């Protein structure tokens, strides 16, 4: 056992065909054996009895079994030994015997007796990240393990596989003779990694990734023969940031944010979410607020294209989901016209998030069999809606961008036959710290909204299910019903 300040020496061992002794026949031993077999070791298990799986492997000769109590001779041709018994004296004997024979030994859960430790690891194909706290802080190692698991998606494994498969070609392409050669290889590989390979692999476009690989190898030859190489084209990820609570971001959104060079985000995207992005990513707010057009759609498209053509990894971050009232489709069309590769990461849309955070199930066997997502941004958008259909019962309406149009909405729904007593729930700043929910009957929608001074962003839910907010609310303050609270404040 090293003293507190001496670090362990990490190594990845090639165990193929080499003997490893595991002492113990229980489930802990089985887990160790499993990993050793995966690494191609010849596993000898010594124990009086074996648990069922180990016993089965022994009969099928996947492992060799030495029956009985530990015998130092079991170490005869072993390179490594693992003691996984629950008998402290036996573990001591194994550790001592191994030490005398210069065999590396690990005693499960015993840092003092162990001469080597098996790190926690994140595996992505041939790529492995090993984590160790030297045995002193296993909980910390576990925490970091979880973080790394979340951070690296499967595309890293696929990328490692591709590079491994073409290893000889990469070496031949950039022969590492002398200092200059080595630097050239490093630059070449950096170019491979910066290119679109990984993004294609993430999209599971393996053939396209192979083509891209060939292209980079070729393009580079051309460059070295003649003139400057052109910057590889970047890419755009259209990412849904959810309603604001960073906990509602997807794992993929988080990974993409971690890799971004530039982030173009809406005003609706919360600072907490932005904080999770790569520190040195450039952040550009391109929010559009009703009435204040910080940036027109054309300007946003132009920015996306400009940054991507300059070879950057661009994230276009939008509140909620990019394909729900997010003009995501238009942005993708513009990218496509310029041949810029893109991917889409869905987000939790406001209707889904606000419903959840207000305790309103959007569908319910007794009350609503369908949901409609509707925008009521302006008079024109209201005129194009199918009012008789919207006024039908037993369905839920989730109205986006509606705060300014509530009078019209209320009047038209009732005029087309929706019951004036139909409940509504209006959720302001859904999932944020300051979330407010206003409830009441459709007939009082506009009046209560004004009375409580509800501001954008707010999402309106109309339908029988909205009444459930009264009983199922769990987040923030209870719903505001009649206007009493505001009148109190005024008094
Ligand atoms: N793409 C977004 C919607 C953009 S339109 C999505 O999928 O959610 C903007 C409208 O979304 C706002 O006017 C409001 O109606 C709604 N909205 C977005 N975030 C909200 C939030 N946190 N609380 C309430 N409504 C929200």
């Amino acid at each position: 056992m090293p003293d507190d300040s001496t670090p362990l020496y990490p190594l990845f061992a090639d165990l193929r065909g080499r003997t490893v002794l595991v002492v113990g026949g229980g489930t802990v031993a089985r887990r160790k054996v499993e990993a050793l077999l995966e690494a191609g070791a010849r596993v000898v298990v010594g124990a009086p009895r074996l648990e069922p799986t180990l016993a089965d492997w022994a009969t099928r000769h996947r492992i060799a079994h030495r029956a009985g109590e530990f015998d130092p001779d079991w170490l005869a041709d072993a390179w490594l030994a693992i003691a996984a018994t629950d008998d402290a004296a036996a573990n001591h004997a194994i550790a001592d015997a191994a030490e005398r024979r210069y065999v590396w030994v690990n005693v499960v859960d015993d840092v003092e007796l162990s001469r080597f430790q098996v790190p926690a690891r994140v595996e992505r194909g041939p790529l492995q990240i090993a984590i160790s706290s030297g045995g002193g802080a296993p909980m910390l190692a576990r925490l970091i393990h979880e973080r790394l698991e979340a951070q690296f998606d499967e595309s890293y494994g696929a990328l490692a596989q591709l590079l491994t498969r073409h290893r000889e070609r990469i070496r031949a392409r950039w022969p590492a003779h002398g200092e200059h050669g080595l630097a050239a290889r490093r630059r070449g590989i950096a170019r491979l990694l910066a290119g679109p390979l990984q993004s294609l692999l993430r999209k599971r476009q393996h053939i396209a990734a192979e083509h891209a690989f060939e292209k980079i190898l070729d393009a580079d030859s051309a460059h070295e023969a003649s003139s400057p190489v052109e910057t590889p084209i970047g890419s755009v990820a259209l990412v849904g940031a959810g309603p604001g609570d960073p906990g509602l971001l997807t794992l993929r959104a988080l990974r993409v944010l971690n890799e971004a060079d530039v982030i173009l985000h809406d005003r609706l995207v919360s600072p907490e979410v932005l904080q999770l992005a790569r520190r040195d990513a450039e952040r550009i707010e391109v929010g559009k607020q009703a009435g204040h057009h910080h940036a027109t759609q054309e300007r946003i498209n132009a920015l996306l294209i400009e940054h991507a053509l300059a070879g950057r990894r661009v994230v276009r971050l939008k509140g909620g989901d990019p394909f729900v009232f997010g003009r995501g489709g238009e942005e993708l069309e513009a990218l496509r016209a310029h041949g810029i590769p893109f991917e889409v990461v869905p987000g939790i849309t406001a209707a889904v998030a606000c419903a959840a955070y207000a305790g309103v199930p959007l569908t319910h066997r007794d009350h609503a069999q369908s949901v409609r997502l509707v925008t009521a941004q302006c008079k024109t958008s209201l005129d194009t809606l199918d009012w008789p259909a919207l006024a039908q019962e037993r369905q839920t309406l989730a109205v986006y961008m509606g705060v300014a149009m509530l009078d019209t909405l209320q009047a038209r729904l009732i005029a087309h036959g929706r019951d004036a007593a139909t409940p509504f729930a209006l959720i302001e700043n859904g999932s944020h710290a300051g979330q407010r929910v206003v409830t009441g009957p459709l007939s009082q929608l506009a009046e209560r909204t004004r009375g409580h001074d509800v501001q954008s962003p707010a999402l309106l839910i109309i339908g029988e299910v909205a009444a459930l907010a009264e009983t199922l609310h769990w987040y923030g303050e209870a719903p505001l019903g009649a206007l009493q609270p505001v009148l109190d404040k005024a008094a």
Side-chain angles (χ1 to χ4, degrees):
M1 164 74 182
D3 72 37
D4 287 348
S5 59
T6 314
L8 296 171
Y9 183 76
L11 56 87
F12 286 91
D14 178 1
L15 293 181
R16 286 171 303 174
R18 304 213 157 86
T19 301
V20 178
L21 173 68
V22 176
V23 187
T27 49
V28 176
R30 189 195 67 217
R31 276 199 292 277
K32 301 289 169 188
V33 170
E34 235 164 13
L36 291 165
L37 288 175
E38 223 174 273
R42 194 186 148 258
V43 182
V44 177
V45 179
R49 276 171 311 281
L50 299 180
E51 59 89 58
T53 309
L54 285 175
D56 176 50
W57 290 347
T59 15
R60 292 195 284 126
H61 303 290
R62 285 194 71 194
I63 58 174
H65 181 207
R66 305 268 178 279
E69 300 302 329
F70 171 67
D71 177 342
D73 283 347
W74 291 352
L75 287 162
D77 54 357
W79 290 69
L80 294 178
I82 295 181
T85 82
D86 46 15
D87 174 348
N91 285 345
H92 255 284
I94 299 160
D96 286 347
E99 174 95 34
R100 275 198 303 277
R101 290 172 188 244
Y102 304 100
V103 174
W104 288 99
V105 64
N106 171 266
V107 180
V108 175
D109 287 337
D110 193 326
V111 190
E112 309 288 330
L113 284 182
S114 293
R115 295 293 170 270
F116 78 91
Q117 290 169 22
V118 185
R121 61 185 169 155
V122 176
E123 276 186 275
R124 296 291 180 264
L127 186 73
Q128 298 201 46
I129 310 170
I131 306 130
S132 164
S133 68
M139 289 303 284
L140 182 62
R142 202 164 304 154
L143 178 79
I144 290 178
H145 182 232
E146 275 168 26
R147 289 202 185 150
L148 293 176
E149 279 287 358
Q151 190 168 335
F152 295 101
D153 65 27
E154 291 308 322
S155 68
Y156 284 88
L159 184 60
Q161 244 149 25
L162 186 142
L163 294 176
T164 307
R165 203 164 50 242
H166 293 300
R167 186 159 163 266
E168 288 313 321
R169 292 190 53 206
I170 294 170
R171 290 165 73 93
R173 173 69 196 77
W174 297 291
H177 302 315
E179 210 173 299
H180 176 74
L182 212 64
R185 174 179 291 176
R186 231 174 265 137
R187 275 198 308 275
I189 293 176
R191 234 164 295 164
L192 276 175
L193 295 181
L197 283 183
Q198 191 170 9
S199 151
L200 289 168
L201 291 169
R202 185 175 291 136
K203 293 189 265 185
R204 305 207 195 266
Q205 296 177 2
H206 294 273
I207 297 168
E210 289 293 334
H211 287 314
F213 173 82
E214 299 297 338
K215 211 172 141 197
I216 296 168
L217 236 60
D218 283 356
D220 209 73
S221 338
H223 155 57
E224 267 159 41
S226 62
S227 55
V229 73
E230 53 180 285
T231 356
I233 196 165
S235 61
V236 175
L238 193 57
V239 179
D245 178 344
L248 296 179
L249 211 58
T250 63
L251 214 47
R252 171 149 299 178
L254 194 62
R255 287 168 174 160
V256 175
L257 281 171
N258 256 308
E259 289 170 2
D261 297 314
V262 186
I263 299 167
L264 276 78
H265 65 92
D266 284 352
R267 201 184 45 86
L268 268 180
V269 174
S270 71
E272 292 90 330
V273 167
L274 283 172
Q275 242 167 34
L276 295 173
R278 213 180 108 207
R279 291 265 165 263
D280 44 359
E282 184 186 347
R283 284 143 223 247
I284 305 171
E285 191 194 307
V286 292
K288 283 175 292 172
Q289 193 180 358
H292 318 255
H293 281 261
H294 288 258
T296 63
Q297 191 62 52
E298 292 71 53
R299 174 88 188 111
I300 296 173
N301 293 353
L303 276 172
L304 286 172
I305 291 160
E306 177 193 322
H307 285 289
L309 287 181
R312 303 195 181 105
R313 283 165 300 187
V314 183
V315 166
R316 171 72 177 107
L317 192 61
K318 291 164 171 288
D321 180 86
F323 279 179
V324 177
F325 304 126
R327 304 186 73 167
E330 294 162 53
E331 290 174 9
L332 295 191
E333 278 157 21
L335 295 172
R336 190 161 181 274
H338 284 81
I340 294 166
F342 57 77
E343 62 185 288
V344 183
V345 182
I348 298 186
T349 190
V352 169
C354 291
Y357 276 63
V360 177
L362 288 173
T363 67
H364 191 293
R365 277 199 299 168
D366 300 333
H367 308 299
Q369 278 66 44
S370 66
V371 187
R372 283 171 188 258
L373 307 186
V374 184
T375 171
Q377 187 171 20
C378 55
K379 177 97 177 28
T380 335
S381 60
L382 286 186
D383 285 342
T384 58
L385 292 174
D386 179 356
W387 291 97
L390 292 182
Q392 274 163 30
E393 313 221 311
R394 300 183 68 76
Q395 64 172 333
T396 306
L397 304 182
V399 185
Y400 288 70
M401 300 180 272
V403 192
M405 290 290 146
L406 295 181
D407 289 289
T408 322
L409 202 68
Q410 172 185 334
R412 290 208 191 167
L413 282 175
I414 293 174
H416 284 87
R418 191 94 200 214
D419 188 342
T422 308
F424 77 83
L426 180 60
I427 302 114
E428 176 188 60
N429 284 318
S431 89
H432 291 256
Q435 167 176 310
R436 291 197 305 163
V437 180
V438 176
T439 54
L442 180 57
S443 57
Q444 290 177 26
L445 170 61
E447 186 194 337
R448 287 206 183 168
T449 304
R450 265 192 298 275
H452 289 295
D453 191 26
V454 175
Q455 299 291 326
S456 184
L459 183 107
L460 173 64
I461 299 175
I462 300 175
E464 290 74 7
V465 289
L468 292 166
E470 304 288 347
T471 46
L472 298 184
H473 75 81
W474 56 273
Y475 181 82
E477 301 300 330
L480 304 163
L483 287 174
Q484 210 48 37
V486 165
L487 296 179
D488 281 348
K489 225 173 22 184

